[in-house]
Amino acid sequence: MKIEAITLREVRMPLVHFFETSFGRTYERRILLVTVHCDGLDAWGECVAGEDPFYSSEWVEGAWMVLSKYLAPAVMGRKLEAARDCVSLFARIRGHRMAKSAIENALWDAEAREAGKPLWKLLGGTRREISCGVSIGIQDSEEQLLEKVSAELAAGYQRIKVKVKPGWDVKVLEKIRRKWPEILLSCDANSAYTLDDAGHLRRFDEFKLLMIEQPLWNDDIYLHARLQRELHTRICLDESIRNSRDAEMAAELRACGIINIKVGRVGGFSEAVRVHDICQLHSLPVWCGGMLESGVGRAQNIALSTLNNFSLPGDVSASKRYWKEDIIEPEVTVSPKGTISVSDQPGTGYKVREDLIEKLTVRKETIGRA
Ligand code: OSB
Ligand code: MG
């Protein structure tokens, strides 16, 4: 693959419904798309950095700068045998994993399409159908939350995850459990608690949750291990797992019972597969996390979710839960039994709607071509 040019693009996409976590509320996404022009084709990747550095230190503006000044130049004009070869070219640039992932994943798209292979097979996937769950944000009222849960269950989703924070936790979980005693239910705190809350978090045990996601600090593993010893409910680490070494440390320290893999958070598909493999070795089930992606990132999450150890439903759900109109076609749809089937077409099996993207673009920069 000869890399001839890279285009960065910001598209603005209003969410169908706002999304609120313990760190804030989002109404509109600023989606950073990367197009790698190589061997006469345009390959696509999405940088999942948020509008603000609240989920992690990465954010759209910072990612744009590092892509433009460091990452695109690091691969420009290079001829790579495989997508994973960009990892060593990026190695001297510290951090910025979501930005790196956008280029690496575009290269995987190119590699799959050039080989005439589905991306999921190239990644080593084995499942033809993936299981889907939903992540439901903090609402203005408990009634609104219960209505949302009810609608998602009716749509067939296999697992409900609700965002929690101090003041929006035990009471909401209790109401959901009382109404639906048998469903797969979990919660995600996005680091809203400290170890001093261990006693409070122990109250979550009575709701028989599948897991409690990232209760403590975004950069911590050790104190999660201390907390895990106090809880029956399995902890699931999200923010804390930056690479396969973190996953190995979490497994050995018994800091969690489940790991959420987000391809952007770990720096791209190569590392995501490594995290998957190390978790499998340690009998830690994984599932695919979401970052309110557009269709470009969503289609790639679907491909990743076909790997064998993705044995729990992911936060990979239908396009229409997020967007009036998605930027891929067909849009992502979920069956009444809460699954997405993968296609045997080359690449992701979804087509990028370039005309629509052009219309939604508010900023564009091409590196490597006059
Ligand atoms: O912690 O999983 C998270 C969205 C933005 C940032 C962090 C998270 C989330 C979600 C949404 O939970 C998952 C999705 O539906 O894309
Ligand atoms: Mg999370």
Side-chain angles (χ1 to χ4, degrees):
M1 291 181 283
K2 170 96 196 290
I3 299 166
E4 288 140 15
I6 292 181
T7 300
L8 309 181
R9 215 187 274 269
E10 179 185 336
V11 299
R12 297 275 168 102
M13 295 175 70
L15 288 164
V16 171
H17 186 273
F18 67 79
F19 190 79
E20 184 173 328
T21 65
S22 60
F23 56 77
R25 190 179 272 199
T26 307
Y27 290 92
E28 184 182 57
R29 289 295 336 273
R30 295 174 64 185
I31 305 273
L32 203 176
L33 295 174
V34 169
T35 320
V36 176
H37 311 281
C38 64
D39 311 331
L41 66 80
D42 287 350
W44 292 84
E46 175 169 345
C47 175
V48 300
E51 290 68 36
D52 305 289
F54 298 163
Y55 164 81
S56 77
S57 62
E58 289 192 83
W59 64 305
V60 179
E61 297 280 336
W64 186 291
M65 288 182 75
V66 82
L67 277 159
S68 160
K69 289 188 197 309
Y70 292 98
L71 298 171
V75 294
M76 196 52 58
R78 294 282 191 147
K79 204 166 177 306
L80 307 181
E81 288 297 322
R84 60 162 48 87
D85 295 348
C86 72
V87 174
S88 59
L89 299 174
F90 291 158
R92 73 189 186 114
I93 300 143
R94 302 294 190 220
H96 298 285
R97 293 181 303 279
M98 293 176 181
K100 289 174 178 171
S101 176
I103 293 184
E104 191 193 324
N105 295 353
L107 289 169
W108 280 89
D109 180 36
E111 187 176 335
R113 284 158 58 196
E114 287 184 25
K117 258 188 152 181
L119 175 61
W120 66 271
K121 280 192 183 162
L122 192 66
L123 290 169
T126 52
R127 298 167 187 274
R128 308 208 47 108
E129 202 177 61
I130 66 160
S131 300
C132 310
V134 290
S135 171
I136 306 180
I138 294 164
Q139 307 296 315
D140 287 327
S141 71
E142 287 165 7
E143 293 68 45
Q144 278 168 4
L145 179 67
L146 292 175
E147 269 170 39
K148 285 224 155 321
V149 173
S150 171
E152 303 295 10
L153 289 171
Y157 285 103
Q158 298 183 10
R159 184 223 64 208
I160 301 290
K161 148 177 151 185
V162 294
K163 293 290 188 180
V164 291
K165 63 175 183 183
W168 180 273
D169 50 18
V170 174
K171 233 174 110 207
V172 252
L173 292 170
E174 187 173 20
K175 285 202 167 160
I176 298 172
R177 246 323 165 225
R178 196 177 308 147
K179 202 152 174 204
W180 295 283
E182 303 295 339
I183 60 168
L184 267 190
L185 178 64
S186 70
C187 69
D188 186 357
N190 290 109
S191 306
Y193 301 93
T194 73
L195 211 52
D196 293 339
D197 299 312
H200 177 68
L201 293 169
R202 215 176 300 126
R203 294 177 61 196
F204 293 23
D205 279 345
E206 74 174 280
F207 307 119
K208 304 278 175 264
L209 304 177
L210 173 62
M211 63 198 149
I212 167 168
E213 191 176 337
Q214 199 70 37
L216 308 180
W217 301 271
N218 72 93
D219 59 356
D220 169 80
I221 294 176
Y222 173 67
L223 295 176
H224 279 94
R226 296 240 311 250
L227 176 64
Q228 183 66 90
R229 279 185 247 137
E230 313 252 335
L231 305 178
H232 286 297
T233 307
R234 278 180 287 182
I235 289 175
C236 168
L237 291 177
D238 172 355
E239 283 90 328
S240 304
I241 305 299
R242 301 161 302 172
N243 51 48
S244 53
R245 290 175 291 103
D246 283 343
E248 189 166 29
M249 168 162 37
E252 289 186 2
L253 289 176
R254 299 183 188 281
C256 60
I258 295 173
I259 283 180
N260 158 336
I261 300 181
K262 290 178 180 166
V263 59
R265 195 195 66 226
V266 303
F269 277 131
S270 329
E271 193 62 26
V273 171
R274 247 180 252 126
V275 174
H276 164 275
D277 293 350
I278 205 89
C279 289
Q280 189 150 36
L281 213 61
H282 285 88
S283 304
L284 279 181
V286 303
W287 54 278
C288 184
M291 289 292 285
L292 311 175
E293 286 92 346
S294 78
V296 172
R298 190 168 302 280
Q300 297 186 336
N301 286 344
I302 293 169
L304 182 67
S305 305
T306 63
L307 272 72
N308 189 260
N309 193 34
F310 281 84
S311 54
L312 296 171
D315 279 347
V316 184
S317 54
S319 298
K320 68 172 183 206
R321 292 190 62 247
Y322 307 84
W323 322 114
K324 233 161 80 193
E325 203 176 13
D326 204 345
I327 56 176
I328 53 166
E329 59 191 359
E331 58 168 40
V332 174
T333 55
V334 169
S335 77
K337 56 185 174 101
T339 58
I340 296 172
S341 302
V342 292
S343 114
D344 278 324
Q345 286 171 42
T348 61
Y350 294 87
K351 212 170 111 343
V352 173
R353 297 177 62 185
E354 299 193 29
D355 292 351
L356 177 58
I357 289 174
E358 200 59 51
K359 268 192 243 161
L360 300 174
T361 298
V362 296
R363 175 156 63 141
K364 189 169 161 179
E365 177 185 341
T366 296
I367 298 105
R369 196 184 272 165

